Amino acid sequence: MVEPMAAGIMYLALIPLSPWLIVQGLKFTYRNTAYRNVRFDFKGDYMGALYHFIVLPLVAAVTLYLALPWVIKKIHQFMFGNCEYGGEKLQLNTSTGQYYKAALVVFLVSIVAFILIASSMAGTLTTMQGSEAPNPLSFLPIILVMYFFSFLVQSVFNAMIRNHIAESLKADELVRFESRITVAGYLGITLLNAVLILFTLGLAFPAAKVIKMRYIASKTTVFLTPRIDHMANQVEGKESAFGEEAAGMFDTDLSIV
């Protein structure tokens, strides 16, 4: 009885603490990313993280997740819109409609997945009728279909949103981005990484991250203006090891930039 109570208390304590940890993780990630010896910086604060990572997900839940695409857009704007390079703030003007478009595509793919899985399950159950000792391997095709579609849904949303973020992220007269990630390409990388991690019992996780980053980098173009040559570093000092742990805890993914 004591252990569940202790776990509940720790969970409640983490709710007000998590926005601060998120901010520290984002600061560490940005400040350890540099171009031409000019380091990035993150200017988001605790209250912003509290609103975007605690309050808005509750809003999504209350609306039965109909507001989830909008919430994801707001979270992305907080993460990227508070980024600075050499004192110049990046701007992210994403469209809510694009997030709902990606969500609609994901919904349609999910319907197809549900139909295929239901059909496979019905066929398997029909085959097993009258069998005294059902073969567990009969469910393998269903598991594989579910496994494939779980990655397909993720790849559809990530590919569409990453391209939109890249097109919408810019700093006036300094830099703009272009992304050409495809659903098929992202799905292939995701499935490859899933197989590597599965068959190495997680040991290939760093290699999987590198494979993913290389693919994203190969599909991303950065357009710079001559003004980039005059930017000066505005970030001094080194980030603490605690910030590194916070970044790892929340797996901060800023690879779009």
Side-chain angles (χ1 to χ4, degrees):
M1 184 65 181
V2 176
E3 291 183 1
M5 289 181 61
I9 292 174
M10 291 181 62
Y11 177 77
L12 292 175
L14 279 175
I15 293 178
L17 182 62
S18 58
W20 182 78
L21 291 172
I22 290 172
V23 170
Q24 297 307 309
L26 287 168
K27 284 185 177 181
F28 177 87
T29 302
Y30 274 117
R31 292 178 179 179
N32 284 275
T33 304
Y35 177 72
R36 295 186 179 182
N37 294 322
V38 178
R39 298 165 70 181
F40 288 84
D41 197 6
F42 181 73
K43 294 299 184 180
D45 56 17
Y46 175 88
M47 293 306 296
L50 177 67
Y51 173 71
H52 288 88
F53 289 93
I54 303 296
V55 176
L56 289 186
L58 291 176
V59 172
V62 169
T63 61
L64 301 179
Y65 295 99
L66 292 177
L68 184 58
W70 173 77
V71 170
I72 295 175
K73 184 200 81 166
K74 297 295 290 183
I75 290 175
H76 285 164
Q77 287 181 338
F78 174 76
M79 292 175 60
F80 297 104
N82 284 292
C83 172
E84 286 190 357
Y85 177 78
E88 185 76 26
K89 190 173 183 179
L90 273 69
Q91 301 170 355
L92 180 61
N93 299 313
T94 46
S95 167
T96 302
Q98 287 296 118
Y99 282 79
Y100 275 95
K101 179 180 178 181
L104 178 60
V105 174
V106 166
F107 177 71
L108 295 175
V109 171
S110 299
I111 291 178
V112 174
F114 176 79
I115 294 174
L116 290 176
I117 292 171
S119 300
S120 299
M121 186 171 294
T124 301
L125 293 176
T126 301
T127 303
M128 292 174 59
Q129 284 182 352
S131 176
E132 295 181 359
N135 186 359
L137 293 178
S138 301
F139 290 97
L140 183 59
I142 300 175
I143 296 174
L144 292 176
V145 170
M146 294 174 62
Y147 187 74
F148 173 79
F149 272 98
S150 66
F151 286 108
L152 177 60
V153 167
Q154 173 188 345
S155 299
V156 167
F157 189 83
N158 284 349
M160 294 180 67
I161 294 304
R162 282 181 178 275
N163 289 342
H164 180 55
I165 288 177
E167 295 169 358
S168 306
L169 184 66
K170 63 184 68 175
D172 291 339
E173 301 179 358
L174 184 64
V175 62
R176 65 181 180 87
F177 306 90
E178 180 182 282
S179 176
R180 302 175 305 281
I181 293 175
T182 64
V183 173
Y186 199 95
L187 175 62
I189 293 296
T190 303
L191 289 175
L192 172 62
N193 286 343
V195 171
L196 286 175
I197 294 173
L198 178 64
F199 284 95
T200 61
L201 301 179
L203 295 177
F205 182 77
K209 294 287 287 187
V210 171
I211 292 173
K212 177 183 174 182
M213 295 298 182
R214 283 182 174 174
Y215 171 74
I216 293 174
S218 69
K219 299 298 182 179
T220 304
T221 304
V222 181
F223 299 92
L224 303 174
T225 68
R227 185 164 171 253
I228 199 78
D229 296 325
H230 304 288
M231 304 303 294
N233 186 43
Q234 303 291 323
V235 181
E236 301 296 337
K238 295 183 178 180
E239 293 303 301
S240 66
F242 183 82
E244 181 179 6
E245 293 301 321
M249 180 184 300
F250 293 98
D251 192 23
T252 307
D253 187 359
L254 301 174
S255 56
I256 194 68
V257 296

